[in-house]
Amino acid sequence: MRAGMEKGAVVGSLEGPLATFVGLLYAAQIRISTAQGQGGYRFSCPPESLRSVGAIHQALCSGQFPVAREAQDLTPIAFMMDYPDSLGKRFLPFGRGKAERTQPELSLGVVPLVEGPKGGDLVPASEGWAALAGCRILVVAAELESVSGTPKSPEPGDAALARLLAEAPSPKPKVVVAYSLPDEPRPTKPSKDGEEPVPAVPPVTEGPARAKLGAALALALLPRTLAAVAEARLEPSYFFSWVALERGKGGALRPKRRQIFEAGGVEPEYPFAEFEALVAHLGRLAS
Amino acid sequence: MPAAILGDRASGKTTFLGLLYAAQVKYGTGLQDTFRFSSTPQSLKFMAAVYQNMKDGMFPSATLKDEMSLVEFIFGYRKMIAGRLPAWIKEQRWMNPFATLDFGAYDVSGEDVQEFIETGVAASPVIQQLLRAFVVVILVDCSKMTTDVDSQLYKRMLKYDGDVATLCVAFQKYKKDEYERMKAQGMKPDAPIIFPAIVLSKFDTLRDEVLARLGLTRGMPPRQKQRERKEYAEALLRAFLPQTLSQIRGGKVAGVSFDQTTYFISWIHTEKAEGGMAPVGPPRIVRKGFSADGGADIDYSYDEYVAFIEHFRNVANKVPDDVKEADKVSGGATS
């Protein structure tokens, strides 16, 4: 890792929506970095990373769910994320400013949680430990059935995530929780005629409402992780992810795709605004 | 300077090479010896055969394409000063009077390249040669650009995008590793840079519905309007080669710059049946009438090919000869 670059990791259960989440994060970065007129955000993937994440991307763009059968399908993935230079970085010719001007702000790896050698709780895959060492930002990919109602049981990786946070040296890594829903959440029907339907997930501009919803869900879905975060006196941030589904030939559910030719061609139908905000948020955490 | 031309199967690589050969034949004989073209005997025989077929109105046959696995040729550009020295000085071979680009054309769907893309191991000499390229020319087949996302054409383009993006980052990694190695040996190398170019092949086959969806006109803006031309080409790439575009832009993040990408189009006029429909049977190339410039010439985007040749004059002069020496020394390092 280069000097001055923060290190982060996306952590989630291998059996869960981790592969899809990483694929959507890749798709969003493609769209952000190639947008017409924008000269700021760029990202790079090492060759081995591109092989893995490219396969996930290809599956999603072909209307298929990506499948990660082994940890090695995901652990090579790493994003080197470079944001527009801050004022300090651009104009300080000496010291860190000069050295870091050309460095990416964040290196984000992927660490799947897998079954431990003796069964029981999930543990980080051994191939992912390199991404966790020195990690300053943890993005938790958690599976959520619905935004309304209380989750019935904690996320399978909750204990492992809490352990990671407890055992991490000070200062503890900052935590971002990304909830993955099985489909596009439907807006809540208005209680009165003439009123607009209320989005199931508050838009990215409504910070307090999102924080309240995210925290309420985390209380049931990630209780141990939340306790570890509170002990470290940290405040997590929350994002929501999904891929809209449709019935394909034969009636099987498959990821829906949309054609946004002016902004990336064909891509899965997912909440780009959430991921755009997530990428920006990671940049703020890293800088 | 090593250069690579990358294209998918049936993307128009062989036709592109034939047209490039045709262009340099006409262009090279018209100039005051500032441009030279040379090739291995096998490659020259191949490109000449393709050219001859096209002058007879036929596209290259599958049999002809199968005869060559790797086509190589050299562009030579007379240097401003070294190229104009007296003959007796040039004969001493103290310096090269020509700046050269050594091109190799590679099939991205070929076995060697696919094995490298899947494993990352540069076992074959072909791949080791490919990775040394400073110039990367990417052929993008416009006939595969479609709005039907469930079609084989779309899936083919999707795979090609992933493959080319992987090759681009492999070039970056190789250059970065070479740079670090040379620094470790006490040398003072220039910062690594790759010179990309994109050729939109079969440009005349671009579908109207694709242009409509992108809000583009049928014709590419002229070469003088560089910004509009770039925006036009990038609109197509953003839709059909987004991974490649993102990794070209992300090259600097990996420590290797990509120079400003230059765009070219390639088209060749083919016969149409009545009503503008495609004729029955294999398409036939339209030839222009006999003229003083050359009899029965092929009707194709000659100006674009000339621009392609001239574009690389600037690129060839940018890299000093000692880079080529260092490249020879590095040999076939694995990725």
Side-chain angles (χ1 to χ4, degrees), chain A residues 26-164:
Chain A
Y26 178 63
Q29 291 183 84
I30 289 174
R31 195 161 144 189
I32 296 167
S33 67
T34 60
Q36 189 174 9
Q38 88 85 27
Y41 180 77
R42 292 176 292 196
F43 81 106
S44 176
C45 295
E48 60 279 5
S49 168
L50 205 53
R51 258 174 232 113
S52 297
V53 77
I56 295 174
H57 180 76
Q58 193 168 331
L60 287 169
C61 291
S62 301
Q64 296 161 7
F65 289 104
V67 175
R69 292 188 178 87
E70 297 173 340
Q72 293 97 314
D73 292 335
L74 297 178
T75 48
I77 298 173
F79 302 120
M80 314 292 274
M81 301 165 77
D82 184 53
Y83 294 80
D85 286 342
S86 64
L87 208 62
K89 226 176 151 193
R90 259 183 284 169
F91 290 109
L92 279 176
F94 303 106
R96 282 188 69 195
K98 187 181 180 195
E100 294 170 22
R101 209 174 295 131
T102 55
Q103 303 299 327
E105 274 76 1
L106 176 63
S107 166
L108 190 69
V110 177
V111 183
L113 298 173
V114 298
E115 212 174 274
K118 297 174 186 173
D121 285 345
L122 297 182
V123 296
S126 56
E127 300 89 344
W129 274 108
L132 285 173
C135 178
R136 307 289 308 121
I137 300 170
L138 264 187
V139 180
V140 174
E143 189 168 12
L144 183 67
E145 276 185 24
S146 168
V147 288
S148 55
T150 309
K152 290 172 193 153
S153 57
E155 159 77 30
D158 183 38
L161 291 161
R163 246 191 333 270
L164 275 175

Side-chain angles (χ1 to χ4, degrees), chain B residues 262-283:
Chain B
T262 314
Y263 299 96
F264 305 91
I265 58 170
S266 172
W267 54 262
I268 186 165
H269 195 179
T270 53
E271 288 173 1
K272 294 270 186 290
E274 283 183 19
M277 303 291 288
V280 174

Side-chain angles (χ1 to χ4, degrees), chain B residues 306-325:
Chain B
V306 166
F308 181 91
I309 291 169
E310 275 305 305
H311 167 68
F312 288 111
R313 182 187 297 273
N314 297 328
V315 173
N317 281 313
K318 276 180 186 172
V319 180
D321 288 341
D322 56 10
V323 169
K324 293 197 282 291
E325 289 306 313

Side-chain angles (χ1 to χ4, degrees), chain B residues 165-193:
Chain B
T166 304
L167 286 173
C168 284
V169 297
F171 286 128
Q172 290 165 17
K173 183 173 186 298
Y174 184 90
K175 292 283 172 289
K176 181 74 177 163
D177 289 348
E178 277 299 291
Y179 175 73
E180 298 296 338
R181 185 186 62 77
M182 288 162 74
K183 272 175 62 176
Q185 289 177 347
M187 295 161 77
K188 290 183 182 174
D190 290 332
I193 182 167

